[in-house]
Amino acid sequence: MEKIIIIVLTFFIITTNVKSLNISSENVVLYNLNEDKIIYEKNMNKKTSIASLTKIMTTLVAIENIDNYNKKVTISENMFNGLKEQNAAVIGLKNKQVVTYNDLLYGMFLASAADATRALTINISKSEEEFVKLMNKKAKELNLKNTSFKNTIGLDDNDNYSTVNDVAILLKEALKNDKFKEIFTAKSYKFSDNSIKVSSTLVKTSKKYNYDTSYIIGAKTGYTIDAGRCLASLAIDKKNNIKYLLVTTNANIDKKEAYHILDATIIYKYYFSNYKYYNLINKNDKILTLKTKYSKQQKVNIYSNKTIKLYLKKYNKNKLKLKYKGIDVITPEIKKNQKLGTVNVIYDNKEIDKIDVYMPYNVKFSILKYLNDNIYLVVISIFVLIIMIIFIIKKL
């Protein structure tokens, strides 16, 4: 038997079209990492140039193919062929300079340096082309169906593309790697030979434009003519303890603002200000009352064994439904810890969670309650007994 318990605990969601936010990025995906759930997207599966967001894959593949981060490697002039002609960003590595793999990883990622990228990938795979094969292999392993790599740097090429959602999936996977996370969240790094100090492009740009990005705990920027301004970032709403991952591409390239960072600021602050987790059910809240049979105790109250939260915009009363399916009446035969059934927690006609319901204690059998509950049966039994006694006496 099913019982529907309607609790006048209520929510009213004020729906706001987030797309109306004043952002310039053409492609956007935002994840609530607490649930690994997409909460906002705009053209998230549209193939696009991704500029230096390419280096997220370059870095992850490099890390997976390096045994010793402190191993020394020697820079050679041929590693930089074509970089000047393509106006690629560099940090000024010199011919015959001796650096470590760690130096090149930080130089590539934090400063988005093409010379560090080339030096790193050529030392690992002997050529950029061979390294790109590893990148595409990794993309296939991660089922990034809308992603293709042609170079390790992110230079514009018809065969070097992805989508913001593929980049987000890649970044989530990469962040599982401790070394990648260490680099991704770093603000600056000094080379082992003290020759170069690199800083996060996010930090440098934020200072230049006077943006507060202190809540962004890690990021990779990117820029080309085809890709526009791009940003992949990880942020935390400390007040509500919610982690977000945001990827944007094709933001305005006008130098009046750093539109990729400005867009991230607008999106993050909107969600920080308007969304949080609300407790639908608290642990030990009463969620169900069941009647008893053959016991002096008339009812048994059931309490939730867990807290159930829901990520919502600010609300103003709606309704929460608890739908119970299970044993309807408690009898003395039902013992403590026996499963009675399940309560489905439903919000806005969607099932949010389930609560398994167990008997909290034993109820005592009452002979008086049994007789009272079965009074007609008792009367009939007594009447039959009297008839039988009379019949026996007459026989005697």
Side-chain angles (χ1 to χ4, degrees):
M1 180 180 290
E2 292 187 356
K3 282 189 174 181
I4 306 272
I5 305 138
I6 299 178
I7 298 180
V8 189
L9 239 185
T10 66
F11 299 90
F12 175 70
I13 298 181
I14 304 169
T15 26
T16 299
N17 184 2
V18 184
K19 291 185 179 180
S20 66
L21 291 176
N22 186 23
I23 59 174
S24 74
S25 296
E26 293 179 11
N27 312 300
V28 183
V29 68
L30 177 68
Y31 277 80
N32 172 346
L33 288 184
N34 291 44
E35 302 178 24
D36 192 19
K37 183 178 179 181
I38 295 171
I39 55 175
Y40 171 60
E41 66 89 13
K42 176 183 175 185
N43 303 320
M44 73 175 188
N45 293 316
K46 180 182 177 182
K47 291 179 182 179
T48 177
S49 295
I50 58 170
S52 284
L53 301 191
T54 296
K55 295 187 181 83
I56 296 172
M57 178 64 89
T58 311
T59 304
L60 178 61
V61 171
I63 288 170
E64 292 179 344
N65 286 275
I66 295 173
D67 294 327
N68 180 4
Y69 299 117
N70 295 314
K71 182 179 177 180
K72 295 186 181 298
V73 295
T74 302
I75 304 301
S76 60
E77 195 78 42
N78 68 305
M79 293 176 177
F80 310 140
N81 290 341
L83 296 183
K84 184 177 181 180
E85 291 75 8
Q86 297 183 71
N87 294 315
V90 296
I91 52 174
L93 293 175
K94 306 297 183 182
N95 186 36
K96 296 184 180 180
Q97 184 176 355
V98 178
V99 295
T100 65
Y101 275 130
N102 213 41
D103 295 335
L104 295 177
L105 281 168
Y106 276 94
M108 171 179 66
F109 200 89
L110 289 189
S112 207
D115 50 353
T117 306
R118 280 275 184 81
L120 178 69
T121 56
I122 289 173
N123 270 286
I124 291 173
S125 294
K126 307 306 179 186
S127 73
E128 184 177 18
E129 291 75 20
E130 287 302 310
F131 194 93
V132 168
K133 289 179 182 179
L134 296 179
M135 293 168 67
N136 284 316
K137 181 182 177 183
K138 187 68 177 181
K140 189 174 181 180
E141 288 175 7
L142 296 177
N143 200 29
L144 306 181
K145 295 181 179 179
N146 296 310
T147 297
S148 171
F149 296 107
K150 190 65 175 179
N151 61 76
T152 60
I153 298 167
L155 301 173
D156 285 334
D157 189 294
N158 289 337
D159 292 323
N160 201 92
Y161 60 81
S162 188
T163 68
V164 288
N165 196 43
D166 271 9
V167 173
I169 293 169
L170 167 61
L171 181 54
K172 286 190 294 177
E173 182 65 26
L175 286 168
K176 295 176 185 177
N177 183 291
D178 290 340
K179 184 63 176 179
F180 181 92
K181 188 173 183 179
E182 171 194 307
I183 297 169
F184 186 77
T185 56
K187 305 301 181 187
S188 63
Y189 175 83
K190 183 179 284 189
F191 271 42
S192 56
D193 64 358
N194 293 318
S195 62
I196 300 171
K197 183 177 180 180
V198 293
S199 298
S200 160
T201 52
L202 174 75
V203 172
K204 289 174 67 175
T205 308
S206 297
K207 285 181 178 178
K208 178 181 178 180
Y209 288 92
N210 197 29
Y211 298 145
D212 175 18
T213 55
S214 57
Y215 54 88
I216 296 179
I217 57 179
K220 181 73 197 78
T221 62
Y223 164 74
T224 65
I225 297 299
D226 285 352
R229 296 193 183 278
C230 310
L231 181 65
S233 59
L234 183 67
I236 184 165
D237 174 2
K238 292 182 179 180
K239 181 180 178 181
N240 296 301
N241 195 28
I242 304 171
K243 278 189 177 181
Y244 294 93
L245 187 149
L246 174 67
V247 180
T248 62
T249 63
N250 293 99
N252 194 326
I253 60 175
D254 190 324
K255 292 184 179 180
K256 291 179 181 178
E257 297 280 358
Y259 285 98
H260 53 330
I261 300 175
L262 186 61
D263 286 354
T265 301
I266 291 169
I267 293 168
Y268 281 134
K269 288 190 174 180
Y270 174 82
Y271 278 89
F272 287 8
S273 299
N274 291 285
Y275 282 82
K276 67 177 183 178
Y277 281 93
Y278 292 94
N279 288 5
L280 300 185
I281 301 291
N282 290 301
K283 188 175 182 180
N284 298 323
D285 278 355
K286 185 169 74 173
I287 56 172
L288 180 65
T289 299
L290 296 174
K291 293 180 180 179
T292 63
K293 193 174 183 181
Y294 310 142
S295 174
K296 287 183 179 179
Q297 184 177 336
Q298 294 182 349
K299 61 184 180 181
V300 172
N301 291 327
I302 305 295
Y303 299 88
S304 176
N305 55 20
K306 61 182 178 180
T307 295
I308 297 174
K309 299 181 178 183
L310 188 60
Y311 179 79
L312 290 170
K313 199 175 187 298
K314 293 179 180 179
Y315 65 92
N316 177 18
K317 291 188 177 181
N318 198 348
K319 59 186 175 181
L320 173 70
K321 291 183 180 179
L322 302 184
K323 188 175 183 181
Y324 172 66
K325 185 176 182 180
I327 294 172
D328 193 39
V329 178
I330 301 299
T331 62
E333 290 80 14
I334 297 173
K335 301 303 179 183
K336 181 180 178 181
N337 296 327
Q338 181 178 333
K339 186 173 181 179
L340 303 175
T342 303
V343 171
N344 290 337
V345 180
I346 300 168
Y347 168 73
D348 195 23
N349 296 318
K350 295 178 183 178
E351 184 178 304
I352 305 303
D353 206 340
K354 293 181 180 179
I355 303 172
D356 289 330
V357 174
Y358 295 89
M359 187 64 189
Y361 47 78
N362 295 325
V363 295
K364 293 182 179 180
F365 175 76
S366 168
I367 185 65
L368 293 177
K369 191 71 171 65
Y370 177 85
L371 294 175
N372 183 65
D373 290 348
N374 295 276
I375 188 66
Y376 296 114
L377 180 60
V378 171
V379 170
I380 292 171
S381 297
I382 293 173
F383 179 75
V384 171
L385 182 60
I386 292 172
I387 295 296
M388 289 177 66
I389 292 172
I390 292 172
F391 180 78
I392 293 170
I393 292 172
K394 284 185 176 181
K395 282 287 186 180
L396 294 175

